[in-house]
Each structure stands twice: as structure tokens, then as C-alpha cells.
């Protein structure tokens, strides 16, 4: 064990000397490893950060949450021309599902409408996201109202002119004043603010509830009408927690088919989108991104490996005389082999550490400049990056180390003189 520690120490010294004495050559050799590690860890960290941000954006919704609409969350085998003929879900279908579906925890009808301008006295905010929903949306999203309250079933059904606003909307319009009870103007009408949502922070796609207004969907239906193609209705459904979701979906599909009068040989003219399917779809995309990034990074590492192999062959040539002397004094082949092998690994680790430092530096800068977006540099990604770097160093150093260990001491001394 002591001899290997001595070999490691000497290899470390040789590697440091190589860095000192041949700065440009060593820098160019390590550049490939540095870029490779930077690419691999950087891509993995970016993908992990993206996945966490997406999951954080939808964390308030349970994976079993279902969206019934004429659009699909993911790829589908149904051709586009046929999907375009699908009818929108209706408020009557929402009421039918709410009335007849067993094991139903909550369901809400919502419209996807264009942003609007909201005004209060001399203050106004344009391009505000509008969320027209029924009162059960409060339970589906598990909303937190810090001031006032959410609208009740009577206000929801009657389409009362009341709204619940996000934290940023409240601060922009009312400052430090209490917004509850104030009258704001929206759609050319007056609405009463009855609640303010808890501050959430910005979402990945800019869809934070801090900049959102929630109001009864029946009020917006009065304005838009039920046949307006610019609004995209959806029914959000949340089964009971102990429900078999797949069985629930099967029953739901059958009820919607029956309500729409579809024949057995006709396909579903609607989509039942499960949030779990959406997260799986996102996982597939991010997984593919990780593989592509890792593949590109491995090519960079291979280039770096060739650079290390090159510098090791040069190092063997420069130290031929020394190798001959070591062998003449009784150094065994494995001593010479491990000496150069350790040196190659140490050089690769140096390159990996530089790449890791660059990723760490960029992660700090990215987190500071992107606000609420957190750039994740996990220990597992760091481990696999350094492990890859070590393996590349090992592979790159094998041939030079073997060639050094096979040198004849007499020939080595004579050649090196």
C-alpha cells in the first residue's frame, strides 16, 4: 500500500510540474476535458432545474387531477383535421358530471380567455391573466386567500360581479391599502374585490397567480357567450384520494359518451387529460434532453481524452531517460505503469474540477439574474461528472503507461541521453 501511495505522490508532483512547465500544452490538453465536464454537468443541472421548476409550478395540483377538453396535453394518434371537429365541453356537461360522477372530490368549469386591462381610479394594469372558474376551483388548486375570501357557490352560479386578485395585482393597484371591498373596472364593468391570494412567486411560463384575476365563470359567459371560439372551455376534475384513477377515467369517458350520444363504433370526440400524463410527458422530454446533452458532452470528453493521451505520450518521451534509470535501480513495470496512469487521471481530474467550477459559477450567476428560477447543481450530477472525467483519464493514460512500462532500461537510458 505504501508503494502505491508513493507512486500517487510522485505522479501528483509530475502532473503539477507538467502544469507548471508546459502551461500552454497542458491547457490545450485539459480544455477538452473541461468543456466536456462543463457540457455534461451543465446540461444535467439545467434539465434538473427545469424539471423542478415545472413540478413546482404544478405542485398545487394533484397528479390525479383530470382535464376534460377537446385538446390533448400530449401526442395523439387522432389526425389534426379530425381533432379540429371536436366540440368544446359545455357548462351543462360540467353540471352533469358534477351531479352523476361517483367518488368525485371537486370539479370546476373554466374558460381560457385573453388577457384584459383592470383599472382602479387612476391606476391600471394591462395584459392581466383572467381565470374564469366555478367556486370548486378553490378546492382543486388548494388556494390560499390571505385577505377576504373566495366567492361561494351562489355567487358562482349567479355570475356575481366579484373577483379575487393576486398579490402583485393588489400591490400595483392599491399599494398598502386594503383591496377588499374596493371597486375595480374590468370588461367595462365594475367588480368588487372580495379576496387577495397569498404571494406565490413567478412561474416557469409566467403564469403566476400573483398576476392573475379569478372571477365567476358565469359572469364571463355572459360577456363572451357559449359559442365564442376565442375561449377554450375545460372541465377540471379531482377524484377522491383513494379512488382508482384509471377506473374513474373509464367511468367518466362512458358518461360523457352517453351524454353526447356517441355510438359504440365512434371514437371519443374529447380528451381526458390526466396531470400525471403531462408530468410523464415532461419527464420524457427532459430525459431526452439529458441524453442528448450527455452524448454531446461525452464527445467533448473523448476529445479531451485524446489531448491527455497526447500529453502523456510526450511526457513518456521526455522522461525516457528517467524511466530507464528507475528500471535500472529495480523499479518494476507496474510501478512505472501506475506512475503514468495516475498522472493521466490527475490531469483529467484537474480538467474536471475546472469544468465543475465553471458550472458552479454560472449556476450562481443564473440564480441571481433569473429571479425566482433556481439553478440546481446536485451532488449526484457532480459525482457522475467527475466519475466520467476519471474514467476518461484512465482510458487516455493506459496506452502511454503501458508503453512506458515496457521500455528496456538500457535502451531507455541510451535514448534519453
Amino acid at each position: 500500500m505504501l508503494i502505491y501511495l508513493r507512486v500517487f505522490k510522485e505522479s501528483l508532483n509530475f502532473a503539477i510540474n507538467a502544469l507548471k512547465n508546459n502551461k500552454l500544452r497542458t491547457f490545450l490538453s485539459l480544455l477538452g476535458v473541461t468543456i466536456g465536464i462543463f457540457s455534461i454537468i451543465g446540461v444535467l443541472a439545467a434539465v434538473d432545474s427545469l424539471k423542478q421548476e415545472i413540478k413546482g409550478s404544478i405542485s398545487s395540483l394533484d397528479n390525479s387531477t383530470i382535464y376534460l377538453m377537446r385538446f390533448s396535453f400530449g401526442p395523439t394518434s387522432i389526425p389534426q383535421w379530425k381533432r379540429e371537429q371536436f366540440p368544446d365541453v359545455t357548462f351543462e356537461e360540467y353540471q352533469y358530471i358534477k351531479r352523476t360522477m361517483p367518488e368525485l372530490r371537486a370539479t370546476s368549469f373554466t374558460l381560457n380567455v385573453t388577457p384584459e386591462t383592470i383599472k382602479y381610479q387612476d391606476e391600471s394594469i394591462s395584459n392581466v391573466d383572467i381565470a374564469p372558474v366555478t367556486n370548486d376551483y378553490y378546492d382543486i388548486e388548494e388556494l390560499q386567500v390571505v385577505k377576504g375570501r373566495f366567492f361561494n357557490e351562489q355567487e358562482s352560479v349567479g355570475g356575481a360581479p366579484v373577483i379575487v386578485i393576486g398579490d402583485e395585482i393588489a400591490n400595483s393597484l392599491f399599494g398598502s391599502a386594503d383591496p377588499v371591498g374596493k371597486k375595480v373596472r374590468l370588461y367595462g364593468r365594475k367588480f368588487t374585490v372580495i379576496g387577495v391570494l397569498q404571494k406565490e412567486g413567478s412561474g416557469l411560463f409566467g403564469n403566476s397567480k400573483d398576476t392573475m384575476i379569478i372571477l365567476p365563470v358565469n359572469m364571463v359567459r355572459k360577456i363572451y357567450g357559449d359559442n365564442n371560439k376565442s375561449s377554450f372551455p375545460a372541465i377540471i376534475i379531482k377524484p377522491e384520494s383513494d379512488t382508482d384513477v384509471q377506473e374513474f377515467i373509464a367511468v367518466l369517458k362512458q358518461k360523457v359518451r352517453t351524454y353526447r350520444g356517441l355510438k359504440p363504433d365512434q371514437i371519443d370526440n374529447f380528451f381526458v387529460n390526466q396531470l400525471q400524463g403531462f408530468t410523464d410527458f415532461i419527464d420524457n422530454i427532459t430525459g431526452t434532453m439529458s441524453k442528448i446533452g450527455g452524448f454531446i458532452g461525452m464527445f467533448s470528453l473523448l476529445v479531451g481524452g485524446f489531448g491527455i493521451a497526447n500529453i502523456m505520450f510526450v511526457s513518456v518521451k521526455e522522461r525516457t531517460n528517467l524511466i530507464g534509470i528507475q528500471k535500472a535501480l529495480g523499479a518494476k513495470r507496474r510501478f512505472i505503469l501506475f506512475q503514468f496512469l495516475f498522472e493521466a487521471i490527475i490531469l483529467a481530474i484537474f480538467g474536471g474540477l475546472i469544468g465543475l467550477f465553471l458550472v458552479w459559477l454560472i449556476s450562481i450567476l443564473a440564480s441571481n439574474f433569473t429571479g425566482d428560477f433556481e439553478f440546481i447543481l446536485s451532488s449526484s450530477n457532480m459525482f457522475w461528472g467527475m466519475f466520467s472525467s476519471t474514467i476518461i483519464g484512465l482510458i487516455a493514460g493506459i496506452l502511454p503507461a503501458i508503453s512506458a512500462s515496457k521500455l528496456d532500461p538500457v535502451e531507455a537510458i541510451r535514448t534519453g541521453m
Side-chain angles (χ1 to χ4, degrees):
M1 176 61 77
L2 290 177
I3 189 171
Y4 291 115
L5 290 175
R6 192 178 71 180
V7 171
F8 181 80
K9 180 181 178 182
E10 290 184 3
S11 300
L12 179 60
N13 290 332
F14 278 126
I16 292 174
N17 288 332
L19 288 171
K20 290 180 178 179
N21 299 331
N22 304 285
K23 295 181 179 64
L24 180 59
R25 187 179 70 187
T26 306
F27 169 75
L28 293 175
S29 300
L30 297 184
L31 187 60
V33 177
T34 300
I35 294 174
I37 292 298
F38 177 82
S39 301
I40 291 176
I41 300 180
V43 169
L44 292 176
V47 170
D48 285 348
S49 304
L50 183 64
K51 287 171 67 175
Q52 176 164 305
E53 187 69 16
I54 292 173
K55 290 180 180 179
S57 299
I58 60 177
S59 60
S60 59
L61 291 174
D62 191 281
N63 278 343
S64 62
T65 302
I66 297 166
Y67 286 77
L68 177 65
M69 55 200 307
R70 69 183 182 94
F71 300 105
S72 174
F73 281 177
T76 174
S77 59
I78 302 175
Q80 183 177 352
W81 66 268
K82 186 169 289 188
R83 296 198 306 269
E84 291 175 349
Q85 297 177 355
F86 287 180
D88 282 319
V89 295
T90 65
F91 188 78
E92 288 71 27
E93 286 176 324
Y94 152 74
Q95 291 177 312
Y96 172 74
I97 290 171
K98 185 176 182 180
R99 186 173 62 251
T100 62
M101 276 298 295
E103 300 179 318
L104 183 65
R105 180 177 174 183
T107 181
S108 177
F109 184 79
T110 181
L111 295 174
N112 183 8
V113 296
T114 57
E116 294 290 337
T117 298
I118 184 172
K119 297 181 180 179
Y120 174 71
Q121 295 180 354
D122 295 332
E123 299 292 336
S124 66
I125 306 174
S126 58
N127 293 322
V128 176
D129 293 327
I130 310 294
V133 296
T134 53
N135 59 294
D136 282 347
Y137 185 75
Y138 179 84
D139 296 320
I140 292 175
E141 281 269 15
E142 299 179 0
L143 298 175
Q144 301 294 324
V145 178
V146 293
K147 293 180 181 179
R149 61 179 179 84
F150 202 75
F151 50 83
N152 55 39
E153 185 175 5
Q154 183 179 356
E155 291 168 328
S156 175
V157 174
V162 294
I163 63 171
V164 177
I165 61 177
D167 178 79
E168 191 172 324
I169 299 294
N171 292 331
S172 299
L173 288 181
F174 305 102
S176 58
D178 187 359
V180 177
K182 300 290 194 303
K183 302 284 187 180
V184 296
R185 184 167 289 276
L186 182 68
Y187 291 119
R189 309 183 184 198
K190 288 186 176 181
F191 288 78
T192 303
V193 178
I194 61 171
V196 179
L197 298 175
Q198 186 178 38
K199 183 176 177 60
E200 180 183 68
S202 61
L204 177 64
F205 306 108
N207 57 344
S208 170
K209 293 183 181 62
D210 294 343
T211 58
M212 183 180 291
I213 292 174
I214 303 177
L215 67 165
V217 68
N218 280 351
M219 166 56 74
V220 180
R221 289 177 64 216
K222 294 176 184 178
I223 298 170
Y224 275 80
D226 287 333
N227 296 319
N228 194 314
K229 294 301 180 182
S230 63
S231 63
F232 305 105
I235 301 173
I236 311 174
I237 302 166
K238 193 169 187 178
E240 293 288 356
S241 57
D242 57 346
T243 302
D244 185 330
V245 178
Q246 297 306 315
E247 183 178 339
F248 182 89
I249 290 176
V251 174
L252 174 64
K253 285 184 176 181
Q254 188 56 49
K255 285 190 175 295
V256 177
R257 286 181 62 86
T258 301
Y259 186 88
R260 294 190 173 186
L262 295 176
K263 298 178 181 179
D265 59 338
Q266 291 180 302
I267 64 169
D268 296 338
N269 57 358
F270 55 88
F271 288 102
V272 177
N273 300 295
Q274 190 179 352
L275 194 60
Q276 178 64 53
F278 177 69
T279 55
D280 291 343
F281 178 65
I282 294 296
D283 287 341
N284 289 335
I285 293 176
T286 53
T288 302
M289 291 170 59
S290 296
K291 291 177 182 177
I292 294 174
F295 189 69
I296 295 172
M298 285 306 297
F299 266 109
S300 300
L301 272 180
L302 285 175
V303 173
F306 290 134
I308 291 176
N310 178 64
I311 196 176
M312 292 310 301
F313 276 118
V314 173
S315 182
V316 170
K317 186 174 181 61
E318 288 178 346
R319 285 152 48 189
T320 300
N321 185 43
L322 180 60
I323 295 170
I325 294 173
Q326 287 177 329
K327 282 201 161 190
L329 293 175
K332 295 183 179 180
R333 288 182 58 182
R334 67 171 179 270
F335 179 87
I336 304 297
L337 186 142
F338 281 120
Q339 179 178 305
F340 284 92
L341 203 56
F342 284 161
E343 185 175 341
I345 293 173
I346 290 168
L347 288 173
I349 290 175
F350 274 135
L353 289 174
I354 296 171
L356 185 60
F357 172 75
L358 291 176
V359 175
W360 173 78
L361 188 63
I362 290 178
S363 69
I364 294 177
L365 295 175
S367 298
N368 290 335
F369 284 101
T370 54
D372 293 327
F373 185 82
E374 183 182 359
F375 196 89
I376 302 170
L377 183 58
S378 67
S379 57
S380 62
N381 288 341
M382 294 167 60
F383 168 78
W384 284 113
M386 292 308 300
F387 178 77
S388 301
S389 179
T390 304
I391 294 298
I392 287 296
L394 178 64
I395 295 173
I398 285 178
L399 289 179
I402 291 176
S403 66
S405 67
K406 288 183 177 180
L407 287 175
D408 180 81
V410 177
E411 289 294 326
I413 293 174
R414 187 174 61 182
T415 303
M417 292 180 63

